[in-house]
Amino acid sequence: KQVEATVTVGQQPPVTGVVVRLDDFFVSVRDTTGEYHAFNRGPGVTVVVNDPLAAHHELLDRYTDADMHNLTAYLARLK
């Protein structure tokens, strides 16, 4: 599943699609019809990101080297 975003600019209808580019200054999405939409991020622009792997990315920052070593050792022992 890909990262999706919903972008709302002022009173215009929101645009939802798969994220093509996302940074602090710019967001672009490709909607379900394949149309490309690009927006400059600033006042009046709301971006809501739906990342199905967000929980996994947070865990990478939480695990220490020792945790990863222990997990790898455990999996190797199961062979």
Coordinates of all heavy atoms in Angstrom, one line a residue:
K1 N 0.9 -1.2 0.0 CA 0.0 0.0 0.0 C 0.9 1.2 0.0 O 1.9 1.3 0.7 CB -0.9 -0.1 1.2 CG -1.9 1.1 1.3 CD -3.3 0.6 1.1 CE -4.2 1.7 1.4 NZ -5.3 1.8 0.5
Q2 N 0.5 2.2 -0.8 CA 1.3 3.4 -0.9 C 0.8 4.5 0.0 O -0.3 4.5 0.5 CB 1.2 3.9 -2.4 CG 1.8 2.9 -3.4 CD 1.7 3.4 -4.8 OE1 0.7 4.1 -5.1 NE2 2.6 3.1 -5.6
V3 N 1.7 5.5 0.2 CA 1.4 6.6 1.1 C 0.5 7.5 0.3 O 0.7 7.9 -0.8 CB 2.7 7.4 1.4 CG1 2.4 8.6 2.3 CG2 3.7 6.5 2.2
E4 N -0.6 7.9 1.0 CA -1.6 8.8 0.4 C -1.7 10.0 1.2 O -1.4 10.1 2.4 CB -3.0 8.1 0.3 CG -3.1 6.9 -0.6 CD -4.4 6.3 -0.7 OE1 -5.3 6.6 0.2 OE2 -4.7 5.4 -1.6
A5 N -2.2 11.1 0.5 CA -2.3 12.4 1.2 C -3.6 13.1 0.6 O -4.0 12.9 -0.5 CB -1.1 13.3 0.9
T6 N -4.2 13.8 1.5 CA -5.3 14.7 1.2 C -4.9 16.1 1.3 O -4.5 16.5 2.4 CB -6.6 14.3 2.0 OG1 -6.9 13.0 1.8 CG2 -7.7 15.2 1.7
V7 N -5.0 16.9 0.3 CA -4.6 18.3 0.3 C -5.8 19.2 0.1 O -6.6 19.0 -0.8 CB -3.5 18.6 -0.8 CG1 -3.1 20.0 -0.8 CG2 -2.4 17.6 -0.7
T8 N -5.9 20.1 1.0 CA -7.0 21.1 1.0 C -6.4 22.5 0.9 O -5.6 22.9 1.7 CB -7.9 21.0 2.2 OG1 -8.4 19.6 2.3 CG2 -9.1 21.9 2.0
V9 N -6.8 23.2 -0.1 CA -6.3 24.6 -0.3 C -7.5 25.5 -0.1 O -8.4 25.6 -1.0 CB -5.7 24.8 -1.7 CG1 -5.2 26.3 -1.8 CG2 -4.5 23.9 -1.9
G10 N -7.5 26.3 1.0 CA -8.6 27.2 1.2 C -10.0 26.6 1.2 O -10.2 25.6 1.9
Q11 N -10.9 27.1 0.4 CA -12.3 26.6 0.3 C -12.5 25.7 -0.9 O -13.6 25.2 -1.1 CB -13.2 27.8 0.2 CG -13.2 28.8 1.3 CD -13.6 28.1 2.6 OE1 -14.5 27.2 2.7 NE2 -13.0 28.5 3.7
Q12 N -11.4 25.3 -1.6 CA -11.5 24.4 -2.7 C -11.7 23.0 -2.2 O -11.4 22.7 -1.1 CB -10.2 24.5 -3.5 CG -9.9 25.8 -4.2 CD -8.6 25.8 -4.9 OE1 -8.0 24.8 -5.1 NE2 -8.2 27.0 -5.4
P13 N -12.3 22.1 -3.1 CA -12.5 20.7 -2.6 C -11.2 20.1 -2.4 O -10.2 20.3 -3.2 CB -13.3 20.1 -3.8 CG -13.2 21.1 -4.9 CD -12.9 22.4 -4.4
P14 N -11.1 19.1 -1.5 CA -9.8 18.5 -1.2 C -9.4 17.5 -2.4 O -10.3 17.0 -3.1 CB -10.1 17.7 0.0 CG -11.6 17.6 0.2 CD -12.2 18.7 -0.6
V15 N -8.1 17.3 -2.5 CA -7.6 16.4 -3.5 C -6.9 15.3 -2.8 O -6.0 15.6 -2.0 CB -6.6 17.2 -4.5 CG1 -5.9 16.2 -5.4 CG2 -7.3 18.3 -5.2
T16 N -7.2 14.1 -3.1 CA -6.6 12.9 -2.5 C -6.0 12.1 -3.5 O -6.5 11.9 -4.6 CB -7.7 12.1 -1.8 OG1 -8.4 12.9 -0.8 CG2 -7.1 10.9 -1.1
G17 N -4.8 11.6 -3.2 CA -4.1 10.7 -4.1 C -2.8 10.2 -3.5 O -2.4 10.4 -2.4
V18 N -2.1 9.4 -4.3 CA -0.8 8.8 -3.9 C 0.3 9.9 -3.9 O 0.4 10.7 -4.9 CB -0.4 7.6 -4.9 CG1 0.9 7.1 -4.5 CG2 -1.5 6.6 -4.8
V19 N 1.1 9.9 -2.9 CA 2.1 10.9 -2.8 C 3.2 10.7 -3.8 O 3.8 9.6 -3.9 CB 2.7 11.0 -1.3 CG1 3.9 11.9 -1.3 CG2 1.6 11.4 -0.3
V20 N 3.5 11.7 -4.6 CA 4.6 11.7 -5.5 C 5.8 12.4 -4.9 O 7.0 11.9 -4.9 CB 4.3 12.4 -6.8 CG1 5.5 12.4 -7.8 CG2 3.1 11.7 -7.5
R21 N 5.6 13.5 -4.2 CA 6.7 14.2 -3.5 C 6.0 14.9 -2.3 O 4.9 15.4 -2.4 CB 7.3 15.3 -4.5 CG 8.3 16.1 -3.8 CD 8.9 17.1 -4.8 NE 9.9 18.0 -4.1 CZ 10.5 18.9 -4.6 NH1 10.3 19.2 -5.9 NH2 11.3 19.7 -3.9
L22 N 6.8 14.9 -1.2 CA 6.3 15.5 0.0 C 7.5 16.0 0.8 O 8.4 15.2 1.2 CB 5.6 14.5 0.9 CG 5.0 14.9 2.2 CD1 4.0 16.0 2.1 CD2 4.4 13.7 3.0
D23 N 7.6 17.3 1.0 CA 8.6 17.9 1.9 C 8.0 19.1 2.6 O 6.8 19.3 2.6 CB 9.9 18.2 1.1 CG 9.7 19.2 -0.1 OD1 8.8 20.1 0.0 OD2 10.4 19.1 -1.1
D24 N 8.9 19.9 3.2 CA 8.4 21.0 4.0 C 7.8 22.1 3.1 O 7.1 23.0 3.7 CB 9.5 21.6 4.9 CG 9.9 20.6 6.0 OD1 9.1 19.8 6.3 OD2 11.0 20.8 6.5
F25 N 8.1 22.2 1.9 CA 7.7 23.3 1.0 C 6.8 22.9 -0.1 O 6.1 23.8 -0.7 CB 9.0 23.9 0.4 CG 10.0 24.3 1.4 CD1 11.1 23.5 1.6 CD2 9.8 25.4 2.2 CE1 12.1 23.9 2.6 CE2 10.8 25.8 3.2 CZ 11.9 25.0 3.3
F26 N 6.7 21.7 -0.4 CA 6.0 21.2 -1.6 C 5.3 19.9 -1.4 O 5.9 19.0 -0.7 CB 7.0 21.1 -2.7 CG 6.5 20.9 -4.1 CD1 5.9 21.9 -4.8 CD2 6.6 19.7 -4.7 CE1 5.4 21.7 -6.1 CE2 6.1 19.4 -6.0 CZ 5.5 20.5 -6.7
V27 N 4.1 19.7 -2.0 CA 3.5 18.4 -2.0 C 2.8 18.1 -3.3 O 2.3 19.0 -3.9 CB 2.4 18.2 -0.8 CG1 1.3 19.2 -1.0 CG2 1.9 16.8 -0.8
S28 N 3.0 16.9 -3.9 CA 2.4 16.6 -5.1 C 1.8 15.2 -5.0 O 2.4 14.3 -4.3 CB 3.3 16.7 -6.3 OG 4.4 15.8 -6.1
V29 N 0.6 15.0 -5.6 CA -0.1 13.7 -5.5 C -0.6 13.4 -6.9 O -0.8 14.3 -7.8 CB -1.3 13.8 -4.5 CG1 -0.8 14.0 -3.1 CG2 -2.3 14.8 -4.9
R30 N -0.8 12.1 -7.1 CA -1.5 11.6 -8.3 C -2.8 11.0 -7.9 O -2.8 10.0 -7.2 CB -0.5 10.6 -9.1 CG -1.1 10.3 -10.4 CD 0.0 9.5 -11.2 NE 1.3 10.1 -11.3 CZ 1.6 11.1 -12.2 NH1 0.7 11.6 -13.0 NH2 2.8 11.6 -12.2
D31 N -3.9 11.5 -8.4 CA -5.2 11.0 -8.0 C -5.6 9.7 -8.7 O -4.8 9.2 -9.5 CB -6.3 12.1 -8.1 CG -6.5 12.5 -9.6 OD1 -6.1 11.7 -10.5 OD2 -7.2 13.5 -9.8
T32 N -6.7 9.2 -8.4 CA -7.1 7.9 -8.9 C -7.3 7.9 -10.5 O -7.2 6.8 -11.1 CB -8.5 7.4 -8.3 OG1 -9.5 8.4 -8.5 CG2 -8.3 7.1 -6.8
T33 N -7.5 9.1 -11.0 CA -7.7 9.2 -12.5 C -6.3 9.3 -13.2 O -6.2 9.3 -14.4 CB -8.5 10.4 -12.9 OG1 -7.9 11.6 -12.5 CG2 -9.9 10.3 -12.3
G34 N -5.2 9.4 -12.4 CA -3.9 9.5 -12.9 C -3.4 11.0 -13.1 O -2.3 11.2 -13.5
E35 N -4.3 11.9 -12.7 CA -4.0 13.3 -12.9 C -3.0 13.8 -11.8 O -3.1 13.4 -10.6 CB -5.2 14.2 -12.8 CG -5.0 15.6 -13.2 CD -6.3 16.4 -13.3 OE1 -7.3 15.8 -13.4 OE2 -6.2 17.7 -13.2
Y36 N -2.0 14.6 -12.2 CA -1.0 15.0 -11.3 C -1.4 16.4 -10.7 O -1.8 17.3 -11.4 CB 0.3 15.2 -12.0 CG 1.5 15.7 -11.3 CD1 2.3 14.8 -10.5 CD2 1.9 17.0 -11.3 CE1 3.4 15.3 -9.8 CE2 3.0 17.5 -10.6 CZ 3.7 16.6 -9.9 OH 4.8 17.0 -9.1
H37 N -1.3 16.5 -9.4 CA -1.6 17.8 -8.7 C -0.4 18.2 -7.8 O 0.1 17.4 -7.1 CB -2.8 17.6 -7.8 CG -4.0 17.2 -8.5 ND1 -4.9 18.0 -9.0 CD2 -4.5 15.9 -8.7 CE1 -5.9 17.3 -9.6 NE2 -5.7 16.0 -9.4
A38 N 0.0 19.5 -7.9 CA 1.2 20.0 -7.2 C 0.7 21.2 -6.4 O 0.0 22.0 -6.9 CB 2.3 20.3 -8.1
F39 N 1.2 21.3 -5.2 CA 0.8 22.4 -4.3 C 2.1 22.9 -3.5 O 2.9 22.1 -3.1 CB -0.2 21.9 -3.2 CG -1.4 21.3 -3.8 CD1 -1.5 19.9 -3.9 CD2 -2.5 22.1 -4.2 CE1 -2.6 19.3 -4.5 CE2 -3.6 21.5 -4.7 CZ -3.7 20.1 -4.8
N40 N 2.1 24.2 -3.4 CA 3.1 24.8 -2.5 C 2.5 24.8 -1.1 O 1.4 25.2 -0.9 CB 3.5 26.3 -2.9 CG 4.2 26.3 -4.2 OD1 5.1 25.5 -4.4 ND2 4.0 27.3 -5.0
R41 N 3.3 24.4 -0.1 CA 2.8 24.3 1.3 C 3.0 25.7 1.9 O 4.0 26.3 1.8 CB 3.5 23.3 2.1 CG 3.3 21.9 1.5 CD 4.0 20.8 2.3 NE 3.3 20.6 3.5 CZ 3.6 19.6 4.4 NH1 4.6 18.8 4.1 NH2 2.9 19.4 5.5
G42 N 2.0 26.2 2.5 CA 2.0 27.5 3.2 C 0.7 27.7 3.9 O -0.1 26.8 4.1
P43 N 0.5 29.0 4.3 CA -0.8 29.3 5.0 C -2.0 28.9 4.1 O -2.0 29.2 2.9 CB -0.7 30.8 5.2 CG 0.8 31.1 5.1 CD 1.3 30.1 4.1
G44 N -3.0 28.3 4.7 CA -4.2 28.0 4.0 C -4.1 26.6 3.3 O -5.1 26.2 2.7
V45 N -3.0 25.9 3.4 CA -2.9 24.6 2.7 C -2.8 23.6 3.8 O -1.9 23.6 4.7 CB -1.6 24.6 1.8 CG1 -1.5 23.2 1.2 CG2 -1.7 25.6 0.7
T46 N -3.7 22.7 3.8 CA -3.8 21.6 4.8 C -3.4 20.3 4.1 O -4.0 19.9 3.1 CB -5.2 21.5 5.5 OG1 -5.5 22.7 6.0 CG2 -5.2 20.4 6.6
V47 N -2.5 19.5 4.7 CA -2.0 18.3 4.2 C -2.2 17.2 5.3 O -1.7 17.3 6.4 CB -0.6 18.3 3.7 CG1 -0.1 16.9 3.2 CG2 -0.3 19.4 2.7
V48 N -3.0 16.2 5.0 CA -3.2 15.0 5.9 C -2.6 13.8 5.2 O -3.1 13.4 4.1 CB -4.7 14.8 6.2 CG1 -4.9 13.6 7.1 CG2 -5.3 16.1 6.8
V49 N -1.6 13.2 5.8 CA -0.9 12.1 5.2 C -1.4 10.8 5.9 O -1.5 10.7 7.1 CB 0.6 12.2 5.4 CG1 1.4 11.0 4.8 CG2 1.1 13.5 4.7
N50 N -1.7 9.8 5.0 CA -2.0 8.5 5.5 C -0.9 7.5 5.1 O -0.9 7.1 3.9 CB -3.4 8.1 4.9 CG -3.8 6.7 5.4 OD1 -3.3 6.1 6.4 ND2 -4.7 6.1 4.7
D51 N 0.0 7.2 6.0 CA 1.1 6.3 5.7 C 0.8 4.9 6.5 O 0.9 4.9 7.7 CB 2.4 6.9 6.2 CG 3.6 6.0 5.9 OD1 3.4 4.9 5.2 OD2 4.7 6.4 6.2
P52 N 0.5 3.9 5.7 CA 0.2 2.6 6.4 C 1.4 2.0 7.1 O 1.2 1.1 8.0 CB -0.3 1.7 5.3 CG 0.2 2.3 4.0 CD 0.3 3.8 4.3
L53 N 2.6 2.4 6.8 CA 3.8 1.9 7.4 C 4.3 2.8 8.5 O 5.5 2.6 9.0 CB 4.9 1.6 6.4 CG 4.5 0.6 5.4 CD1 5.6 0.5 4.3 CD2 4.2 -0.8 6.0
A54 N 3.6 3.8 8.9 CA 4.1 4.8 9.9 C 4.5 4.2 11.2 O 5.5 4.5 11.8 CB 3.0 5.9 10.1
A55 N 3.7 3.2 11.7 CA 4.1 2.5 12.9 C 5.4 1.8 12.8 O 6.2 1.8 13.8 CB 3.0 1.6 13.3
H56 N 5.7 1.2 11.7 CA 7.0 0.5 11.5 C 8.1 1.5 11.5 O 9.2 1.2 12.0 CB 6.9 -0.3 10.2 CG 5.9 -1.4 10.2 ND1 6.1 -2.5 10.9 CD2 4.7 -1.4 9.7 CE1 5.0 -3.3 10.7 NE2 4.1 -2.6 10.0
H57 N 7.9 2.7 10.8 CA 9.0 3.7 10.8 C 9.3 4.2 12.2 O 10.5 4.5 12.5 CB 8.6 4.8 9.9 CG 8.5 4.4 8.4 ND1 9.5 3.9 7.7 CD2 7.4 4.5 7.6 CE1 9.1 3.7 6.5 NE2 7.8 4.0 6.4
E58 N 8.3 4.3 13.0 CA 8.5 4.8 14.4 C 9.3 3.8 15.2 O 10.1 4.1 16.0 CB 7.2 5.1 15.1 CG 6.5 6.3 14.5 CD 5.1 6.4 15.1 OE1 4.7 5.8 16.1 OE2 4.3 7.2 14.5
L59 N 9.1 2.5 14.9 CA 9.8 1.4 15.7 C 11.3 1.5 15.3 O 12.1 1.1 16.2 CB 9.2 0.1 15.3 CG 7.9 -0.3 16.0 CD1 7.4 -1.6 15.5 CD2 8.0 -0.2 17.5
L60 N 11.6 1.8 14.1 CA 13.0 1.9 13.7 C 13.8 2.8 14.6 O 15.0 2.6 14.9 CB 13.2 2.2 12.3 CG 12.7 1.2 11.3 CD1 12.8 1.7 9.8 CD2 13.5 -0.1 11.4
D61 N 13.2 3.9 15.0 CA 13.9 4.9 15.9 C 13.9 4.4 17.3 O 14.8 4.9 18.1 CB 13.1 6.2 15.8 CG 13.3 6.9 14.5 OD1 14.3 6.6 13.8 OD2 12.4 7.7 14.1
R62 N 13.0 3.5 17.6 CA 12.9 3.0 19.0 C 13.9 1.9 19.4 O 14.4 1.8 20.5 CB 11.5 2.6 19.3 CG 11.1 2.5 20.7 CD 9.7 2.3 20.9 NE 9.4 1.2 21.7 CZ 8.3 0.5 21.7 NH1 7.4 0.8 20.9 NH2 8.2 -0.5 22.5
Y63 N 14.1 1.0 18.4 CA 15.0 -0.2 18.6 C 16.4 0.2 18.7 O 16.9 1.0 17.9 CB 14.8 -1.2 17.5 CG 13.5 -1.9 17.5 CD1 12.8 -2.2 16.4 CD2 12.9 -2.3 18.7 CE1 11.6 -2.9 16.4 CE2 11.7 -2.9 18.7 CZ 11.0 -3.2 17.6 OH 9.8 -3.9 17.6
T64 N 17.1 -0.4 19.7 CA 18.6 -0.1 19.8 C 19.4 -1.2 19.0 O 18.8 -2.2 18.6 CB 19.0 -0.2 21.3 OG1 18.8 -1.5 21.8 CG2 18.2 0.8 22.1
D65 N 20.7 -0.9 18.9 CA 21.5 -1.9 18.3 C 21.5 -3.3 19.0 O 21.5 -4.3 18.4 CB 22.9 -1.4 18.2 CG 23.1 -0.3 17.1 OD1 22.2 -0.2 16.3 OD2 24.1 0.4 17.2
A66 N 21.4 -3.2 20.3 CA 21.3 -4.4 21.1 C 20.0 -5.2 20.9 O 20.0 -6.4 20.8 CB 21.4 -4.1 22.6
D67 N 18.9 -4.5 20.7 CA 17.6 -5.1 20.4 C 17.7 -5.8 19.1 O 17.3 -7.0 18.9 CB 16.5 -4.1 20.3 CG 16.2 -3.5 21.7 OD1 16.4 -4.2 22.7 OD2 15.7 -2.3 21.7
M68 N 18.3 -5.2 18.1 CA 18.4 -5.8 16.7 C 19.4 -7.0 16.8 O 19.1 -8.0 16.1 CB 18.9 -4.8 15.7 CG 17.9 -3.6 15.5 SD 16.3 -4.2 15.0 CE 16.6 -4.9 13.4
H69 N 20.5 -6.9 17.5 CA 21.4 -8.0 17.7 C 20.7 -9.2 18.3 O 20.8 -10.4 17.9 CB 22.6 -7.6 18.5 CG 23.5 -8.8 18.8 ND1 23.4 -9.6 19.9 CD2 24.6 -9.2 18.1 CE1 24.3 -10.5 19.9 NE2 25.1 -10.3 18.8
N70 N 19.9 -9.0 19.4 CA 19.2 -10.1 20.1 C 18.2 -10.7 19.2 O 18.0 -11.9 19.1 CB 18.5 -9.5 21.3 CG 19.5 -9.1 22.4 OD1 20.7 -9.6 22.4 ND2 19.1 -8.3 23.3
L71 N 17.5 -9.9 18.4 CA 16.5 -10.4 17.5 C 17.1 -11.3 16.4 O 16.7 -12.4 16.1 CB 15.7 -9.3 16.8 CG 14.6 -9.7 15.8 CD1 13.6 -10.6 16.4 CD2 14.0 -8.5 15.1
T72 N 18.2 -10.8 15.8 CA 18.9 -11.6 14.8 C 19.5 -12.9 15.4 O 19.4 -13.9 14.7 CB 20.1 -10.7 14.2 OG1 19.5 -9.5 13.8 CG2 20.8 -11.4 13.1
A73 N 20.0 -12.8 16.6 CA 20.5 -14.0 17.2 C 19.4 -15.0 17.4 O 19.6 -16.2 17.2 CB 21.3 -13.7 18.5
Y74 N 18.3 -14.6 17.8 CA 17.1 -15.5 18.1 C 16.7 -16.1 16.8 O 16.5 -17.3 16.7 CB 16.0 -14.7 18.7 CG 14.7 -15.4 18.8 CD1 14.5 -16.4 19.7 CD2 13.7 -15.2 17.9 CE1 13.3 -17.2 19.8 CE2 12.5 -15.9 17.9 CZ 12.3 -16.9 18.9 OH 11.2 -17.6 18.9
L75 N 16.6 -15.3 15.7 CA 16.2 -15.9 14.4 C 17.2 -16.9 13.9 O 16.8 -17.9 13.3 CB 15.9 -14.7 13.4 CG 14.7 -13.8 13.7 CD1 14.7 -12.7 12.8 CD2 13.4 -14.6 13.7
A76 N 18.5 -16.6 14.1 CA 19.5 -17.5 13.6 C 19.4 -18.8 14.3 O 19.7 -19.9 13.8 CB 20.9 -16.9 13.7
R77 N 19.1 -18.8 15.6 CA 19.0 -20.0 16.4 C 17.8 -20.8 16.0 O 17.8 -22.1 16.2 CB 18.8 -19.6 17.9 CG 19.0 -20.7 18.9 CD 18.8 -20.3 20.3 NE 17.4 -20.2 20.4 CZ 16.8 -19.9 21.5 NH1 17.4 -19.6 22.6 NH2 15.5 -19.8 21.6
L78 N 16.8 -20.3 15.4 CA 15.6 -21.0 15.0 C 15.9 -21.9 13.7 O 15.1 -22.8 13.4 CB 14.5 -20.1 14.6 CG 13.9 -19.4 15.8 CD1 12.8 -18.4 15.3 CD2 13.3 -20.3 16.8
K79 N 17.0 -21.7 13.1 CA 17.3 -22.5 11.8 C 17.4 -23.9 12.1 O 18.0 -24.5 12.9 CB 18.7 -22.0 11.3 CG 18.6 -20.8 10.4 CD 19.9 -20.4 9.9 CE 20.0 -20.1 8.5 NZ 21.4 -19.7 8.1

